[in-house]
Amino acid sequence: MKIIVCIKQVPDTVDVKIDPKTGNLIREGLPVIINPDDKAGIEAALAIKEQTGATIQVVSMGPPQADVALREALAMGCDEAVLISAREFGGSDTYATSGIIAAAIRKLGMPEILITGRQAIDGDTAQVGPQIGEKLHIPQVSYVEEIQEVTADHLIVKRQFEDGYHIIKIKTPCLLTAIGELAKPRYMTVSGIVEAYNKEIKVLGFEELKDDLELDMIGTKGSPTNVYQSFPKQLKAPGTVLKDMSDDELVAAIMAKLEEKHVI
Amino acid sequence: MSKGIFIVVEQRDGKVQNVGLELIGEATRLKADLGDDVYAVLLGCGIEGEVNKLYHFGADKVILVDSDYLKNYVTEPYTKAVTEVVNKFDPEIMLFGASSIGRDLAPRVASRVKTGLVADTTGLRMAKTEQELQQEAAHGCKDPERALLMTRPAFGGNLLATLMCPRTKPQMATVRPGVMKKIDKDETRTGELIKLDVQFTPEDMNVEIIEAVKANKKMVDITEAKVLVSGGRGAGRDAYEMLRACADELGGEVSASRACVDDQACEWAKTEMQVGQTGKTVRPDLYLACGISGAIQHVAGMENSDLVIAINKNDTAPIFSVSDLGIVGDVKKILPKLTTALKKYNADKLV
Ligand SMILES: Cc1cc2nc3c(=O)[nH]c(=O)nc-3n(C[C@H](O)[C@H](O)[C@H](O)COP(=O)(O)OP(=O)(O)OC[C@H]3O[C@@H](n4cnc5c(N)ncnc54)[C@H](O)[C@@H]3O)c2cc1C
């Protein structure tokens, strides 16, 4: 059995700083991590590997520096790592990205199980997974919070909804999108880290994939959606802040505000 | 020519969900600029009884696909049905709720009909200004005056980005529940019902639902509450009684920050109570933030509240920059006193 896990390297968004003048993200010194949902996906794949002896290929599309994320996945126990990287792919939106990743997966050979994270914390779109599934013509279950059974020809998984869950049987090959609850990622081992840095990361570029791409629908130019503008969030004007007053005075101030605004 | 604003209305257990009605409301606002009709697309099994409600909240037409295959939400039959709507009606705009269903369905449909999709939008408008029209045209849009501009948070809510989909139709987006406003219900409104017969085959049911379970606990929907008393780490792990007592006096509900929800030892804070980027978007009349620092991801979910009052012991807490009234003090002392004052106020009002 083969499993492919798609991962993305993302900035740790808690620490994001915005340049107040330009409104752009200050990327300098920004820590990068494997996207949390993707990391849960890696862990779930490792659990299946331990159970069935499956091999795991981990795939990431991004700039050459994304190899750091791939090496971390290798150090956790994945078998092979593939970086999809080319200048032509830069600026791709989710439609374009999923087309490129789907082409890479066909090139690598279809797995029985394809896992992506539900969403990445930098974009939060949750679109790339299902769009890859569509382009590979395989069924999907998204928001997977538990994998209950794995056999050669089907899986049984638990799919989360806001108001409950479904237990779903799905035939392989299929796509699962992982949420954080699926698995708590293990740490890298020292020997794993050493091994990871000795392994070669396979690179798939434009030349390797071009025959299998919708060439007019990749990169900044071809992506169906384009950015019109981006701007830092404008927060509403702050009101009064009361301090150095007694608790009773503060409570009276709240009561006055509630009356003024007709909440009470 | 592509025409019409299409809302894929979410239903669960045969009941239309609020987010669908919110999107119909937003569609009526876009219609004021675009002029196109508002279509509600309703998919399910035995759901014709819900059609009138869609007219009451602003739909001009309802496209109904009623089939056994659509009883529970399953990706492929739903994708097939919506794709058929797109192919048959050639919509200008198509919107989905950004729920765990909409976010599964919309990307599949967008990929199948080869168009762009913007996720989790919080603002929609038609291109109007000189600059907007010119940018659309520069990106290959042939009818810029029909172009939709879609705004969404990026990088954990630190940035907002406005996107366009200039060359392909429909222009598609998912929209976060709780962000758009329903229009007032008008029970005299009617519309046109279009029943669409989609030919499903057993192969479309490519997964098998072994069990469908509803959370049996009675879930409070914090997005519906007029008042939220919201607890953060500063309110403490045993804050529930204190928050609840105050919420009761105000006729409201209790919500929470993610710090509380993630904290195993903080038992009262359940996932469905979480406000924020990865929780719910709320816009109550009053949001009372108790011991919440006001991280950007939290603020993303509550900044549209009519009135925000924050109690925090740290006078530089970021929550104060989005509050109408900031109270610097110990929430564990102030909140019980406030509850007492409210009790007295409510009792006085009775006599
Ligand atoms: C990708 C991502 C998504 C996220 N999504 C969400 C989300 O949806 N919702 C969310 O809430 N967070 C979210 N977060 C987490 C967010 O960044 C913050 O960590 C979180 O909101 C902090 O919660 P808090 O304000 O309760 O806790 P803290 O930040 O620890 O703040 C506690 C506050 O209480 C005050 N305090 C302490 N004691 C008292 C007292 N006795 N009286 C008065 N005040 C007191 C302190 O001064 C402090 O300001 C997300 C983070 C990431 C990375």
Side-chain angles (χ1 to χ4, degrees):
Chain A
M1 185 186 309
K2 178 166 101 168
I3 305 171
I4 291 183
V5 185
C6 298
I7 68 170
K8 185 179 186 187
Q9 189 176 51
V10 294
D12 203 345
T13 49
V14 195
D15 294 325
V16 166
K17 299 260 178 317
I18 306 294
D19 184 328
K21 286 210 186 76
T22 63
N24 286 331
L25 191 73
I26 303 173
R27 284 179 189 269
E28 232 163 84
L30 206 61
V32 288
I33 52 172
I34 296 180
N35 179 54
D37 284 353
D38 306 354
K39 213 166 171 180
I42 294 175
E43 181 57 44
L46 290 169
I48 298 175
K49 175 181 170 175
E50 280 158 11
Q51 195 190 320
T52 65
T55 57
I56 306 174
Q57 280 180 325
V58 54
V59 173
S60 187
M61 174 167 145
Q65 305 88 284
D67 75 330
V68 179
L70 288 168
R71 291 206 192 273
E72 185 178 344
L74 289 173
M76 286 172 72
C78 296
D79 299 292
E80 283 171 48
V82 182
L83 177 67
I84 308 167
S85 195
R87 192 169 315 133
E88 291 84 345
F89 301 158
S92 289
D93 75 352
T94 64
Y95 183 99
T97 300
S98 61
I100 295 164
I101 295 176
I105 290 170
R106 281 190 293 263
K107 184 107 195 160
L108 296 169
M110 277 296 283
E112 275 75 29
I113 307 173
L114 174 62
I115 301 177
T116 71
R118 169 197 42 182
Q119 68 191 48
I121 58 172
D122 57 348
D124 276 330
T125 75
Q127 288 175 186
V128 173
Q131 288 183 321
I132 296 173
E134 177 63 26
K135 284 178 176 138
L136 294 173
H137 308 291
I138 55 175
Q140 78 190 33
V141 178
S142 53
Y143 288 76
V144 172
E145 61 175 322
E146 195 184 324
I147 299 175
Q148 298 184 336
E149 189 177 306
V150 180
T151 72
D153 69 350
H154 75 261
L155 309 177
I156 294 179
V157 301
K158 184 171 174 186
R159 197 269 197 216
Q160 184 190 75
F161 288 94
E162 289 84 351
D163 55 351
Y165 62 87
H166 285 177
I167 304 293
I168 297 178
K169 181 173 172 184
I170 183 169
K171 287 209 188 72
T172 59
C174 63
L175 163 74
L176 307 180
T177 80
I179 57 176
E181 287 91 327
L182 177 59
K184 196 169 161 355
R186 66 191 66 188
Y187 291 104
M188 301 178 277
T189 60
V190 176
S191 63
I193 295 171
V194 173
E195 236 176 86
Y197 275 84
N198 292 327
K199 272 193 187 156
E200 196 194 336
I201 291 183
K202 185 183 170 106
V203 179
L204 292 178
F206 182 70
E207 281 305 315
E208 286 82 15
L209 300 178
K210 68 170 195 279
D211 295 338
D212 194 19
L213 291 173
E214 297 175 276
L215 288 177
D216 55 344
M217 289 194 96
I218 59 166
T220 311
K221 270 228 169 94
S223 290
T225 62
N226 306 121
V227 177
Y228 169 66
Q229 61 176 355
S230 67
F231 47 97
K233 184 142 148 182
Q234 292 292 321
L235 296 175
K236 70 176 182 184
T240 16
V241 177
L242 303 177
K243 57 177 177 181
D244 303 325
M245 286 164 63
S246 76
D247 289 350
D248 289 324
E249 286 168 325
L250 291 169
V251 167
I254 298 175
M255 291 297 289
K257 192 72 170 181
L258 295 179
E259 277 203 271
E260 175 199 325
K261 298 285 179 184
H262 306 289
V263 180
I264 53 175
Chain B
M1 191 187 87
S2 304
K3 218 168 164 43
I5 306 166
F6 285 60
I7 308 302
V8 178
V9 174
E10 183 169 321
Q11 72 47 44
R12 296 189 184 201
D13 299 321
K15 286 272 163 282
V16 162
Q17 300 293 296
N18 255 323
V19 61
L21 304 178
E22 291 162 12
L23 291 186
I24 292 173
E26 181 62 15
T28 63
R29 284 179 279 274
L30 294 172
K31 177 183 175 178
D33 285 328
L34 186 65
D36 290 18
D37 279 344
V38 176
Y39 290 73
V41 180
L42 183 60
L43 314 171
C45 177
I47 40 159
E48 205 172 328
E50 292 290 282
V51 168
N52 282 334
K53 194 190 262 175
L54 304 175
Y55 302 138
H56 297 164
F57 281 97
D60 298 306
K61 298 181 181 175
V62 174
I63 299 172
L64 176 69
V65 187
D66 203 313
S67 162
D68 285 345
Y69 281 89
L70 302 175
K71 187 164 189 302
N72 280 309
Y73 175 74
V74 174
T75 310
E76 183 54 32
Y78 272 73
T79 305
K80 183 172 180 169
V82 178
T83 301
E84 202 143 314
V85 170
V86 172
N87 291 338
K88 199 159 179 136
F89 295 88
D90 189 12
E92 179 67 59
I93 293 171
M94 184 171 251
L95 306 176
F96 300 75
S99 65
S100 73
I101 290 179
R103 297 169 103 217
D104 184 270
L105 173 62
R108 258 344 260 218
V109 174
S111 240
R112 196 165 293 183
V113 305
K114 296 190 193 298
T115 190
L117 172 64
V118 179
D120 279 25
T121 56
T122 52
L124 299 171
R125 66 176 194 272
M126 301 311 299
K128 254 191 212 162
T129 67
E130 196 66 34
Q131 194 197 358
E132 289 165 355
L133 297 170
Q134 186 228 320
Q135 277 295 314
E136 288 280 355
H139 282 81
C141 181
K142 298 217 168 64
D143 46 4
E145 68 293 335
R146 294 180 63 77
L148 181 67
L149 292 169
M150 300 162 266
T151 301
R152 69 182 306 265
F155 289 105
N158 293 279
L159 272 184
L160 290 173
T162 300
L163 290 105
M164 49 193 175
C165 180
R167 299 174 301 278
T168 52
K169 302 279 162 99
Q171 305 176 73
M172 282 182 40
T174 64
V175 182
R176 290 201 60 154
V179 174
M180 302 300 179
K181 277 202 166 129
K182 288 187 263 200
I183 61 170
D184 290 333
K185 185 173 180 176
D186 174 358
E187 298 202 0
T188 63
R189 259 187 125 260
T190 60
E192 181 190 337
L193 178 62
I194 305 165
K195 290 188 181 173
L196 184 66
D197 192 20
V198 175
Q199 294 302 316
F200 294 102
T201 65
E203 291 77 63
D204 295 329
M205 205 45 115
N206 59 8
V207 303
E208 181 192 337
I209 298 178
I210 297 176
E211 200 187 347
V213 178
K214 288 268 131 190
N216 52 0
K217 52 183 185 281
K218 183 182 161 286
M219 273 215 275
V220 186
D221 187 358
I222 58 167
T223 63
E224 295 283 299
K226 289 254 177 269
V227 171
L228 285 174
V229 179
S230 202
R233 202 189 324 256
R237 287 174 170 165
D238 48 6
Y240 188 73
E241 304 304 322
M242 171 178 89
L243 300 167
R244 180 78 255 172
C246 184
D248 283 346
E249 293 307 320
L250 289 163
E253 291 296 341
V254 175
S255 56
S257 76
R258 175 153 148 187
C260 296
V261 174
D262 281 355
D263 181 358
Q264 299 282 327
C266 191
E267 276 173 27
W268 60 269
K270 307 277 185 249
T271 310
E272 66 267 18
M273 292 161 74
Q274 183 182 319
V275 171
Q277 185 200 328
T278 45
K280 293 191 170 144
T281 306
V282 297
R283 48 187 324 157
D285 297 342
L286 168 65
Y287 189 84
L288 182 56
C290 303
I292 293 176
S293 60
I296 192 123
Q297 298 91 355
H298 185 84
V299 169
M302 47 66 72
E303 64 194 324
N304 291 327
S305 307
D306 285 344
L307 176 66
V308 177
I309 300 180
I311 307 173
N312 196 301
K313 67 177 183 190
N314 171 6
D315 65 359
T316 61
I319 190 73
F320 289 139
S321 61
V322 292
S323 302
D324 301 280
L325 177 62
I327 299 289
V328 181
D330 185 348
V331 68
K332 291 174 190 167
K333 298 210 180 90
I334 293 171
L335 200 63
K337 279 185 189 267
L338 177 64
T339 304
T340 310
L342 285 165
K343 247 193 196 113
K344 181 168 181 310
Y345 181 93
N346 288 336
D348 290 351
K349 219 168 44 179
L350 281 180
V351 288

